Amino acid sequence: MQERYEPAAVEAEAQQYWDRNRCFEAGEDSTRKKYYCLSMFPYPSGRLHMGHVRNYTIGDVLSRFMRMQGRNVLQPMGWDAFGLPAENAAMDNGVPPAKWTFDNISYMKAQLKSLGFALDWSRELTTCRPEYYRWNQWLFLRMLEKGIAYQKTGVVNWDPADKTVLANEQVIDGRGWRTGALVEKREIPMYYLKITAYAEDLLDALNQMPGWPDRVRAMQANWIGKSVGVRLGFPYDIDGLSGVLHAFTTRLDTLMGVTFCAVAAEHPLATHAALGNGKLAAFIEECKRGPAIESELATQEKKGMPTGLVVRHPISGEAVPVWVGNYVLMSYGEGAVMGVPAHDERDFEFAKKYHLSIKPVIDVAGREYSLHAWAPWYAEHGRCINSGAYDGLEFQAAVETIAADLSRKGLGEKQTTWRLRDWGISRQRYWGCPIPVIHCGVCGTVPVPDEQLPVVLPVDLVPDGSGNPLLKNEAFLAVTCPKCGGKGRRETDTMDTFVDSSWYFLRFACPDNDKAMLDSRVGYWAPVDQYIGGIEHAILHLLYARFWTRFMRELGMVAFKEPFAHLFTQGMVLKEAFLRKPETGRVEYFSPADVEVTLDPTAQRRIAVLRSDGQEVESGGVVTMSKSKKNGVDPQALVDEFGADTARLFTMFAAPPEQTLEWSDEGVQGASRFIKRLWKAVHDHVKQGAPAALDKAALSEEQRTIRRQAHQTLAKITDDIGRRRTFNTAIAAAMELLNALAKASHGSRQNSPQDGSVMQEALEIVVLGLSPIIPHVTHVLWHALGHRTALIDEPWMPVDSAALQTASIPMVVQVNGKLRAHITVAVGADEGTVRAAALADPHVQKFLGAGEIRKVIIVPGKLVNIVV
RNA sequence: GCCCUCGUGGCGGAAUCGGUAGACGCAACGGACUUAAAAUCCGUUGAGCGUAAGCUCAUCCCGGUUCGAGUCCGGGCGAGGGCACCA
């Protein structure tokens, strides 16, 4: 065995072994229990970042551990390869998005390989390949057939200069990011998927998903946003036109406090009223344009205008004026609200501004309304007052009684409203999966027949920023109508890239099937046992995948509703950022590599200085790694300098995996140091020749202690990786054991043959126990320790419970809950003996003093508490 | 505003079911080796008092439950995240 640890050589050796022997290619085997471990696949942006390294290391640790536990492990990898950045890169460099994407994939694949992840590359899939996305198209056609996909006009951001549609993130301060032109809202026909049909089930099932973090389930529930209330009607008779204005409310108990109704600018009644009213029409136009940024919606000033129309209160029959309000959303409920200024903050603000009357109808614990200013308690539940027949009723009773009265009049019924909207999937973009429909002048919109799939996206186009290049591509556009055989035109919209990721986890079971989207192999592997990814996907991706799986289940393609049994959301990777804020102009960031940080002991503060000019820089705090803040750490540089094992060890050790991880260059050094020490420990041991066989009966007290410690460590590592998923504490335990071994070997090492065999076993425990985390160095060390079998093919080591046995155990003694003494008692000693031993301790005696012993609590094997 | 998570040494963090607070690592300091530095190895390291044995205080703050609270309950303060005119 070589004395020096050389990561490059070690890692090449281990990786070549795994590759040559196809260790990680998974096959279906009904006799073995499967474990499908999946990390969210990356977008091929160019290079891996630390977030990827952390994500994939977590998945890799679990995969390797489960494999050694005897499970048939599948850990695949693919590429979420459609998307906007490829088009932007294409515009910048004049290269087709396909070329840019595939170049990135090949670079990043090499990076993933250099990190030694136990991936089954034979199942690699890429969503921008027709073999994959044809099944997006196929399933979309099934959705059309079932009415789950449908067409509707939708609003998009339109850049009038580039004549192109912009994604929300391309709109900055209401202007196009490239052109700076004021963005307009345009209504165009788009395809939607009816995810709302599954809202109830998607919400209910969250309660039966113990393998998901509470936080993610809460976020999804929030997003789905169920509210139970009443849809009520205000009848009207206007210009001979009679009808009912519908509104949704969760506060029917406040119905008698209605002093106005407000409708959205897009509401039909508003449109009607604007016919002969130029001022109103202008106001409606202004509202429709609205603020460009969503966050401004919530804070913009409430504005309104009377329509001049009047509806009747459904109970009292009183006249209620109808206003157009900019705070009413057409997309939620009925696009109209009943205005109860006394009990709703928004209505209050609106009523104040336009001098509408305010009528309190709820008594909250006898408190007095001032009506000059809003107080949060105005919206609390209470008892009805000023409400005629309903006076005195509590919230629940009031809602029931009023609802019953409305129902009798045909003016109200209970209704559930959802925040969740249908999923608009049309993107007026080139680099995505084509939506498989054809427009025919005669037949209208015609779905592409299955046998004509896939609709292949041309890969050689270079977008120039002036709209979707497909619109100018005759070869793509020209098509005959499948229905009438006449001249047709292909749809040029492509699908949202979230479609691609909504089912890729199932395709990994059968990536080579060119006859069907899924096959029976899915029944073996799916659902995913452990899914790992960033919290940023807590809502959209995970919700879409759950929806998609439900639809596939209805088609009989899968047998389950929930695609991911266990979900693990890893924390982000942070690092300190350094900056200067000039008097004028923008904040300038500096790479931490160019900054020297020193500690000034007198001033008790850290001083950061830019190396190039020697001047001080400010700390921007510990924040997410990003290009703009220049605080990213390149995984490749790290692997090149320290090796993949050090990178993996540090990311697993510095913090528990679900928490944020603060990057520290010194911490990386520490991880590297540990691996070197482990290498040296094995080297020093091996140098002394093969140890004797372990004779458990012939061990000295000291040797038994080391063995006990080793097996305790093994038990802890097994539990920490397998159950608790706290890889940081598993590593700490291994470090502790190695420290103890170093200490032990200082003195009596190799005096007896059994010293060598105890050391051998303990080192095997450290090496095997850490192998899921640092697989390369342990692969080599395992052989060095004399094993023929490759470590990856070894079964996980069982804990020798006999080694854990001791004759006596230490216990602590407290007096009145304060630690006062340590005693040692025989294992299995009865309470009387333990009590006597505790009381006999001189130190305990001192604290007992003259006091009377009121109680003695004994926690077996741990502690004695004497209450005086 | 609503919902969720979290507050522990100089720093990252540990303490798993209410039972020894600070494991492990980093940094710092002292020492060994070295012509020197790096690397490596050994030691010290929550605060205060004490020559020492040891004692007292200490897990954001205030209160409660308990023999015993970092951990459970109530109230506050602070940080982070999600949703947000959702009627």
Side-chain angles (χ1 to χ4, degrees):
Chain A
M1 177 188 181
Q2 196 179 318
E3 187 171 356
R4 248 177 74 87
Y5 164 59
E6 282 169 18
V10 163
E11 287 169 14
E13 180 183 335
Q15 286 170 15
Q16 275 163 25
Y17 177 86
W18 300 325
D19 268 356
R20 235 190 356 258
N21 294 281
R22 303 180 170 207
C23 288
F24 308 120
E25 288 185 19
E28 297 73 29
D29 178 355
S30 57
T31 65
R32 289 169 66 208
K33 207 174 167 198
K34 61 96 182 179
Y35 187 78
Y36 182 4
C37 182
L38 182 68
S39 294
M40 290 180 185
F41 66 166
Y43 176 78
S45 55
R47 336 189 86 209
L48 290 184
H49 54 68
M50 276 303 164
H52 291 129
V53 174
R54 192 176 193 196
N55 193 156
Y56 301 145
T57 305
I58 294 168
D60 202 49
V61 171
L62 291 172
S63 294
R64 287 172 178 273
F65 177 79
M66 287 301 178
R67 188 191 147 105
M68 292 175 86
Q69 294 277 340
R71 299 283 284 269
N72 187 21
V73 172
L74 169 61
Q75 187 183 216
M77 184 49 72
W79 307 96
D80 189 13
F82 273 136
L84 210 46
E87 291 191 40
N88 297 335
M91 282 181 251
D92 292 343
N93 311 322
V95 180
K99 178 167 171 23
W100 183 83
T101 302
F102 285 116
D103 285 352
N104 287 347
I105 287 174
S106 85
Y107 184 81
M108 289 170 79
K109 186 172 175 179
Q111 286 193 300
L112 288 174
K113 289 197 162 188
S114 78
L115 280 153
F117 297 131
L119 295 165
D120 180 354
W121 285 107
S122 74
R123 293 169 188 262
E124 179 180 6
L125 62 78
T126 307
T127 59
C128 67
R129 290 189 183 278
E131 306 89 272
Y132 181 82
Y133 68 68
R134 67 176 294 185
W135 302 111
N136 284 353
Q137 297 171 341
W138 183 84
L139 202 82
F140 174 81
L141 295 172
R142 303 290 83 75
M143 286 182 167
L144 271 182
E145 287 164 8
K146 301 261 179 195
I148 292 297
Y150 64 94
Q151 209 176 12
K152 190 181 85 173
T153 59
V155 181
V156 295
N157 304 308
W158 179 259
D159 184 325
D162 261 356
K163 295 186 175 54
T164 191
V165 173
L166 298 176
N168 282 333
E169 60 269 25
Q170 295 172 319
V171 181
I172 298 161
D173 293 334
R175 293 171 180 276
W177 68 320
R178 263 170 197 281
T179 61
L182 269 177
V183 168
E184 298 169 5
K185 286 184 179 174
R186 275 218 178 171
E187 291 202 349
I188 58 171
M190 300 208 286
Y191 281 98
Y192 287 82
L193 303 186
K194 208 180 272 175
I195 189 172
T196 52
Y198 298 82
E200 189 93 61
D201 190 41
L202 287 167
L203 181 68
D204 290 348
L206 288 173
N207 294 322
Q208 293 126 49
M209 294 165 67
W212 279 41
D214 291 347
R215 156 170 88 137
V216 175
R217 293 188 300 170
M219 281 161 78
Q220 290 214 348
N222 222 324
W223 183 263
I224 295 168
K226 180 179 184 174
S227 44
V228 179
V230 172
R231 175 179 182 260
L232 75 165
F234 293 81
Y236 59 82
D237 195 344
I238 302 159
D239 313 331
L241 186 74
S242 62
V244 177
L245 170 66
H246 289 287
F248 175 77
T249 182
T250 55
R251 288 300 302 273
L252 195 61
D253 59 318
T254 64
L255 180 61
M256 302 315 286
V258 170
T259 58
F260 67 96
C261 281
V263 300
E266 298 87 351
H267 196 279
L269 222 50
T271 314
H272 176 78
L275 282 177
N277 185 339
K279 261 176 85 178
L280 184 61
F283 176 69
I284 288 172
E285 269 317 302
E286 188 195 323
C287 289
K288 280 184 180 171
R289 253 178 281 127
I293 306 164
E294 286 242 337
S295 61
E296 271 179 22
L297 268 171
T299 50
Q300 76 173 337
E301 195 191 348
K302 294 198 175 20
K303 282 185 190 164
M305 198 171 269
T307 59
L309 308 178
V310 167
V311 295
R312 289 198 312 277
H313 191 284
I315 298 289
S316 68
E318 278 173 41
V320 176
V322 178
W323 286 61
V324 174
N326 67 344
Y327 70 102
V328 184
L329 305 173
M330 193 60 212
S331 51
Y332 186 79
E334 302 292 331
V337 299
M338 64 180 210
V340 187
H343 304 292
D344 182 282
E345 189 173 359
R346 296 153 302 178
D347 296 345
F348 182 87
E349 203 184 307
F350 193 76
K352 274 282 169 195
K353 178 160 180 176
Y354 295 107
H355 309 292
L356 299 164
S357 61
I358 301 173
K359 179 188 174 195
V361 291
I362 300 294
D363 173 58
V364 179
R367 292 208 252 182
E368 294 235 352
Y369 291 85
S370 85
L371 302 188
H372 293 297
W374 176 259
W377 65 267
Y378 291 3
E380 283 177 20
H381 288 180
R383 195 181 293 274
C384 290
I385 50 171
N386 298 326
S387 297
Y390 309 117
D391 279 358
L393 293 177
E394 294 280 358
F395 173 76
Q396 199 58 44
V399 170
E400 295 295 336
T401 311
I402 300 173
D405 287 353
L406 289 179
S407 171
R408 256 192 304 281
K409 295 185 176 202
L411 289 176
E413 68 269 8
K414 290 196 174 166
Q415 194 186 47
T416 302
T417 305
W418 305 88
R419 210 197 74 98
L420 182 69
R421 319 263 174 82
D422 280 343
W423 175 16
I425 60 157
S426 294
R427 296 290 179 271
Q428 297 70 39
R429 289 270 145 213
Y430 158 54
W431 191 237
C433 167
I435 293 175
V437 295
I438 291 163
H439 302 284
C440 169
V442 182
C443 312
T445 304
V446 183
V448 173
D450 284 358
E451 59 276 13
Q452 288 180 23
L453 295 182
V455 175
V456 177
L457 186 74
V459 292
D460 51 356
L461 307 186
V462 182
D464 57 7
S466 65
N468 187 341
L470 290 175
L471 286 163
K472 299 173 217 156
N473 191 268
E474 251 335 283
F476 178 78
L477 285 173
V479 65
T480 54
C481 170
K483 221 172 190 174
C484 67
K487 211 178 143 199
R489 193 182 62 83
R490 271 200 200 286
E491 172 63 60
T492 55
D493 282 0
T494 54
M495 295 183 195
D496 181 1
T497 54
F498 275 112
V499 169
D500 308 320
S501 55
S502 289
W503 66 283
Y504 77 106
F505 42 89
L506 299 174
R507 184 67 179 178
F508 277 128
C510 53
D512 52 357
N513 192 329
D514 59 358
K515 301 281 182 294
M517 187 171 189
L518 302 179
D519 63 35
S520 63
R521 290 174 286 177
V522 174
Y524 177 74
W525 291 113
V528 174
D529 293 281
Q530 180 70 63
Y531 197 34
I532 303 138
I535 187 72
E536 66 273 20
H537 294 111
I539 297 173
L540 294 183
H541 162 58
L542 290 168
L543 194 62
Y544 293 150
R546 295 179 63 216
F547 154 63
W548 206 269
T549 304
R550 278 164 170 74
F551 180 73
M552 292 181 132
R553 181 167 170 268
E554 282 170 17
L555 295 185
M557 299 168 72
V558 294
F560 46 85
K561 276 188 190 177
E562 291 300 336
F564 312 116
H566 295 269
L567 174 70
F568 195 99
T569 50
Q570 99 265 10
M572 293 188 295
V573 184
L574 315 180
K575 187 168 168 70
E576 186 166 27
F578 295 96
L579 55 93
R580 275 183 195 150
K581 280 183 199 146
E583 296 284 313
T584 53
R586 287 172 54 197
V587 173
E588 192 183 356
Y589 283 92
F590 303 97
S591 165
D594 302 332
V595 173
E596 180 104 44
V597 181
T598 49
L599 203 68
D600 181 344
T602 49
Q604 282 289 298
R605 70 185 194 105
R606 294 160 73 243
I607 298 169
V609 169
L610 188 66
R611 270 191 265 266
S612 58
D613 63 9
Q615 298 298 301
E616 227 178 292
V617 291
E618 232 180 287
S619 171
V622 179
V623 291
T624 335
M625 285 186 180
S626 72
K627 257 189 201 142
S628 59
K629 293 192 174 131
K630 294 192 180 163
N631 63 340
V633 173
D634 181 17
Q636 202 52 52
L638 193 68
V639 171
D640 293 345
E641 187 177 352
F642 296 99
D645 283 333
T646 293
R648 296 170 59 120
L649 183 66
F650 175 72
T651 45
M652 293 299 97
F653 178 61
E658 75 278 4
Q659 276 178 39
T660 54
L661 182 155
E662 197 179 313
W663 197 265
S664 137
D665 296 328
E666 295 79 15
V668 174
Q669 294 278 356
S672 167
R673 203 144 48 212
F674 170 75
I675 294 176
K676 283 183 203 156
R677 277 177 50 221
L678 176 61
W679 182 277
K680 187 171 182 302
V682 171
H683 177 262
D684 290 351
H685 166 73
V686 166
K687 207 169 56 183
Q688 318 213 15
L694 183 67
D695 181 0
K696 293 180 197 170
L699 299 181
S700 69
E701 187 57 41
E702 207 178 315
Q703 290 160 345
R704 272 212 301 277
T705 304
I706 293 173
R707 255 205 106 213
R708 185 168 61 246
Q709 216 171 340
H711 279 271
Q712 275 166 353
T713 303
L714 177 60
K716 177 155 176 65
I717 293 175
T718 309
D719 189 49
D720 283 354
I721 297 180
R723 180 181 63 91
R724 296 177 66 211
R725 310 280 147 89
T726 52
F727 310 130
N728 55 327
T729 53
I731 295 164
M735 288 174 165
E736 235 177 309
L737 177 58
L738 193 70
N739 289 345
L741 293 177
K743 228 164 226 166
S745 66
H746 265 300
S748 60
R749 167 105 169 87
Q750 303 291 46
N751 284 344
S752 86
Q754 287 303 309
D755 277 327
S757 46
V758 166
M759 177 62 85
Q760 170 84 15
E761 188 191 24
L763 286 172
E764 283 179 2
I765 283 173
V766 176
V767 167
L768 180 135
L770 289 180
S771 69
I773 297 164
I774 44 172
H776 307 90
V777 68
T778 51
H779 171 88
V780 170
L781 291 178
W782 190 251
H783 286 312
L785 283 166
H787 295 274
R788 291 261 173 89
T789 310
L791 183 49
I792 188 64
D793 293 321
E794 294 280 5
W796 195 255
M797 204 185 279
V799 174
D800 181 358
S801 52
L804 301 178
Q805 303 295 316
T806 51
S808 59
I809 41 165
M811 287 181 77
V812 294
V813 185
Q814 299 179 333
V815 178
N816 288 337
K818 283 191 172 158
L819 176 67
R820 295 302 180 192
H822 297 264
I823 57 172
T824 302
V825 298
V827 169
D830 59 52
E831 293 210 349
T833 317
V834 172
R835 183 189 165 118
L839 289 173
D841 187 278
H843 214 75
V844 173
Q845 280 296 323
K846 194 172 106 192
F847 281 92
L848 290 179
E852 182 197 347
I853 295 174
R854 294 219 334 257
K855 202 170 175 184
V856 177
I857 290 130
I858 297 177
V859 183
K862 269 204 172 137
L863 139 161
V864 182
N865 189 14
I866 302 163
V867 187
V868 191

